[in-house]
Amino acid sequence: MLTRRNITAGLGISLAASSAMAEAITPVSVNQSLPPATTPAPPDDPVLILDASLDDDDRLTVEVEINGQGPFNFVVDTGAGRSVLTPAVAEKLNLPAGPQILIHGISSAITSPTARIDSMRAGEARLGAAVLPVLPYERVGADGLLGVDILDRRNVVMDFRKRKLLIRRSQFFSEMTRKADEVSVPADARFGRLTLTDARIAGTRSVAFIDSGGGISIGNMALQRAIAAKRRRASDLVKPARLLTAGGEVYLGEFRVVPSITMGNLHLTNIPMAFADVHIFDVWSLNHRPAALLGADVLKLFAKVELDFGSDRVLFKLGQRNGLTPIYNV
């Protein structure tokens, strides 16, 4: 089974030349190898099984208090519209049950029990009285998930170098204060998620969501078709694949190395991506428009990523990551 550790080698990141920020960075892994994008896949290759859940190495948690009790360890999931509890937390706090509700995840819609809370606090983020879904630990991988319902006007700092996660008030941002090794990409709150406003994947304008709770990046089949049409004469690495989600569902699609992803002034090259028409694209009515969820496999290429839900931007900090040795070209 392929996980992020198997497919993150050979990734390149380069910053489009612009004023003082005309630098390039290419992460190189000494322990892993990926066939170059110019190597065609043999037609009789077996189907790849891609695990789309987070690896333990990718799972950054933050301490959360519920009804003044805790702390509990929660994962920040910017792809989730609502925060989620696990049964163990609900039972420990003796939370009153709420109504059954239908929730939409990346892979399916399920009916979920709920629990009522009076308050939730994570760093400088607060959520008042709410009814939260309760999902099994196997689907969450922590005590719970923090969704965008608690992140309004907050700044989520994911420090992959220090393996720390911080939630604070939205920060005032100015191009004058941005450091030379930082790249700011504009975003907005379309579809109720942090969405990059200027994204092109393999040259195709795409709706791109930041999905910090997803282990691998996933494009829909509309994007796959657009890329295939553009790359008709290129010998890309393309393999049939099955996408396994945290809920156990399997989707048939393909795996390919995308030649480029451009987000504002940031240019990434040779990015592994799975393609499948997963449930959430249908919920957002995006099955016929190129779209992608950019998961932890992309985010962790950077020393730090700041997701600012107040100023509608994503700040990428270039630098060394564990297992990656950056090479700078000025």
Side-chain angles (χ1 to χ4, degrees):
M1 179 181 297
L2 284 183
T3 65
R4 271 67 58 211
R5 285 189 291 270
N6 301 123
I7 64 177
T8 54
L11 305 180
I13 304 177
S14 62
L15 183 62
S18 62
S19 64
M21 298 181 65
E23 292 182 334
I25 172 175
T26 303
V28 178
S29 171
V30 297
N31 297 321
Q32 305 164 4
S33 62
L34 183 71
T38 56
T39 302
D44 56 348
D45 267 10
V47 173
L48 298 179
I49 305 297
L50 303 176
D51 182 6
S53 58
L54 283 176
D55 282 336
D56 288 340
D57 289 347
D58 298 338
R59 188 174 286 112
L60 302 184
T61 61
V62 63
E63 292 187 346
V64 172
E65 289 186 359
I66 300 173
N67 295 350
Q69 300 184 58
F72 303 98
N73 292 319
F74 277 49
V75 171
V76 173
D77 186 354
T78 57
R82 302 178 69 169
S83 298
V84 172
L85 307 175
T86 54
V89 173
E91 292 171 9
K92 183 175 182 178
L93 298 179
N94 196 26
L95 299 176
Q100 295 270 324
I101 62 171
L102 183 68
I103 60 173
H104 294 279
I106 184 175
S107 56
S108 63
I110 62 172
T111 300
S112 170
T114 63
R116 300 181 185 275
I117 66 168
D118 296 323
S119 65
M120 177 185 289
R121 182 178 69 86
E124 296 185 5
R126 304 286 191 277
L127 183 66
V131 176
L132 301 182
V134 178
L135 295 179
Y137 181 90
E138 293 73 22
R139 294 186 71 111
V140 177
D143 292 328
L145 300 176
L146 290 183
V148 296
D149 53 350
I150 195 175
L151 299 177
D152 184 42
R153 306 196 66 80
R154 293 296 180 265
N155 179 270
V156 178
V157 181
M158 307 178 71
D159 192 326
F160 293 100
R161 179 185 292 168
K162 297 180 179 178
R163 291 195 52 78
K164 291 184 177 179
L165 194 150
L166 174 68
I167 300 178
R168 61 190 183 187
R169 294 183 183 277
S170 179
Q171 304 291 295
F172 171 76
F173 176 75
S174 169
E175 284 291 330
M176 298 294 292
T177 62
R178 178 174 47 76
K179 298 178 182 178
D181 61 349
E182 296 176 340
V183 188
S184 178
V185 178
D188 61 29
R190 284 179 294 171
F191 306 96
R193 308 295 189 276
L194 202 59
T195 311
L196 302 179
T197 58
D198 183 17
R200 292 182 180 273
I201 301 176
T204 298
R205 183 173 293 278
S206 307
V207 179
F209 303 92
I210 298 295
D211 181 17
S212 63
I216 61 176
S217 297
I218 304 172
N220 64 2
M221 296 308 289
L223 177 58
Q224 180 273 338
R225 290 188 292 270
I227 294 175
K230 287 177 177 289
R231 306 285 294 176
R232 189 173 302 162
R233 296 183 179 179
S235 298
D236 293 339
L237 172 65
V238 181
K239 292 177 176 286
R242 293 182 181 179
L243 184 66
L244 178 65
T245 71
E249 297 88 349
V250 174
Y251 286 78
L252 295 178
E254 74 172 31
F255 167 85
R256 72 161 59 223
V257 175
V258 174
S260 65
I261 298 179
T262 301
M263 302 176 289
N265 287 331
L266 189 63
H267 187 70
L268 295 78
T269 59
N270 296 334
I271 303 298
M273 183 175 289
F275 291 86
D277 276 334
V278 293
H279 173 73
I280 198 65
F281 290 130
D282 186 47
V283 172
W284 293 333
S285 299
L286 285 174
N287 277 338
H288 303 291
R289 179 180 176 186
L293 297 164
L294 302 182
D297 56 339
V298 169
L299 300 181
K300 71 178 184 180
L301 292 175
F302 302 90
K304 183 187 296 184
V305 178
E306 294 188 22
L307 311 173
D308 201 312
F309 291 82
S311 61
D312 290 336
R313 67 181 177 90
V314 181
L315 189 71
F316 297 92
K317 181 179 178 63
L318 306 181
Q320 185 174 351
R321 267 274 294 122
N322 292 337
L324 297 175
T325 303
I327 300 174
Y328 293 92
N329 298 314
V330 179

